[in-house]
Amino acid sequence: MRTADTGRVVFALAFVTLGLLSVFSQDFASVWQPVPQDLPGRAWIAVVSGAIMTVGGVGLLLKRTLVPAAFVMMMYTLLWLLALHVPRVILAPMHEVTWGGCAEIVTLVAACWVLYASMATSSDKPYFASLTGANAMHAARIAFAVALPLIGLEHLVYAKETADMVPGWLPYRIGWAYVTGIAHIAAGLAIALNVLPRLAATLEAWMMGGFTVLVWIPSVMATPSQRFAWTGLMISTVITAAGWIVAASYGEVPWFSLSRLRNRKIELVV
């Protein structure tokens, strides 16, 4: 199976699992969906939200429904971003944690956009020409790139909290917090500047995957009955898969090309 399909399948399955967790718990994804506790009808809205993720995820698995599902999930994650995270940034602009949370949702919007931009044709429904093609793909990648430094800064600002999540058997845990933070920032800059973008996006996806494997899988194994652990695992998984979707979109770009102009020309014909 191609890397692009693997990323899409994992992306879809993570959404399905997050959706089912919301449906059965009648609650939103912990931390990621900071819906006020006193919101009227909160439990039912959580079920609807979970159903959208579940159905959207299933749609992303099937080739015949991939385009409409990618569009729906792009709009849903964008709504999620604008309604739940942007207001928190506006209210607390000096708190990096709000920017980091916002950036994580941006990676989902970007991945859904990459899928839609690369797959949608004029015969598909819905079809919006401005959201497809090379220029739209470039914009989606830039959105992903801009999100990465914000995630990296969160690692640096909250280095102690990040280090606490590093497995105890790894030496220099605080060092890993700083290294991963700097790596997020470097990957974002490389993608945004179109210098070694394929390599940067791929290494970013591998790093995200390593975090998922080393941090969240052991957490689920230690507390398999806790919804928080499963939610954390699926959140980390879906971000990792988003990274793989973006990385796979650079399939025609040379691994070690330092030419911004050449990379851009290749993007326009992919």
Side-chain angles (χ1 to χ4, degrees):
M1 183 181 290
R2 294 178 303 169
T3 301
D5 285 336
T6 303
R8 174 176 59 84
V9 169
V10 175
F11 190 67
L13 290 176
F15 263 125
V16 169
T17 305
L18 280 170
L20 291 175
L21 286 170
S22 289
V23 169
F24 287 109
S25 67
Q26 296 187 3
D27 198 0
F28 294 92
S30 303
V31 181
W32 243 21
Q33 292 178 302
V35 177
Q37 292 291 333
D38 58 353
L39 180 70
R42 187 179 188 277
W44 287 108
I45 298 174
V47 170
V48 172
S49 172
I52 292 172
M53 286 191 281
T54 302
V55 175
V58 172
L60 290 174
L61 288 171
L62 306 174
K63 288 294 180 69
R64 62 184 297 179
T65 57
L66 173 56
V67 170
F71 179 80
V72 168
M73 293 307 293
M74 179 173 60
M75 292 297 103
Y76 172 70
T77 51
L78 181 60
L79 175 63
W80 187 350
L81 172 70
L82 297 177
L84 299 179
H85 288 274
V86 170
R88 299 182 78 200
V89 170
I90 294 173
L91 292 173
M94 301 307 294
H95 292 177
E96 163 54 27
V97 66
T98 62
W99 287 95
C102 193
E104 289 178 354
I105 309 304
V106 171
T107 66
L108 307 188
V109 178
C112 292
W113 193 359
V114 165
L115 290 175
Y116 182 78
S118 62
M119 300 296 295
T121 65
S122 58
S123 61
D124 289 308
K125 302 295 181 184
Y127 177 74
F128 297 93
S130 61
L131 296 177
T132 64
N135 287 329
M137 179 75 77
H138 180 68
R141 291 165 173 165
I142 291 298
F144 182 81
V146 169
L148 297 184
L150 296 175
I151 295 173
L153 284 174
E154 190 173 18
H155 283 224
L156 301 180
V157 173
Y158 301 103
K160 181 182 182 300
E161 290 78 2
T162 302
D164 289 341
M165 301 183 71
V166 176
W169 52 269
L170 281 174
Y172 309 111
R173 296 170 73 189
I174 193 70
W176 286 104
Y178 287 115
V179 167
T180 54
I182 293 170
H184 280 304
I185 296 171
L189 291 175
I191 296 170
L193 296 175
N194 218 9
V195 176
L196 300 176
R198 184 182 182 185
L199 180 64
T202 302
L203 292 176
E204 173 69 22
W206 275 108
M207 183 172 67
M208 290 175 172
F211 192 80
T212 302
V213 171
L214 294 176
V215 174
W216 286 108
I217 289 181
S219 179
V220 168
M221 293 175 66
T223 57
S225 62
Q226 289 189 8
R227 184 171 68 92
F228 176 80
W230 282 100
T231 300
L233 173 60
M234 289 303 106
I235 287 173
S236 187
T237 299
V238 77
I239 295 176
T240 298
W244 278 116
I245 289 171
V246 174
S249 74
Y250 284 105
E252 301 301 321
V253 176
W255 284 101
F256 298 103
S257 175
L258 293 170
S259 173
R260 296 172 60 185
L261 179 60
R262 182 188 179 198
N263 291 342
R264 181 64 177 144
K265 287 180 178 178
I266 292 172
E267 286 182 13
L268 291 174
V269 300
V270 172

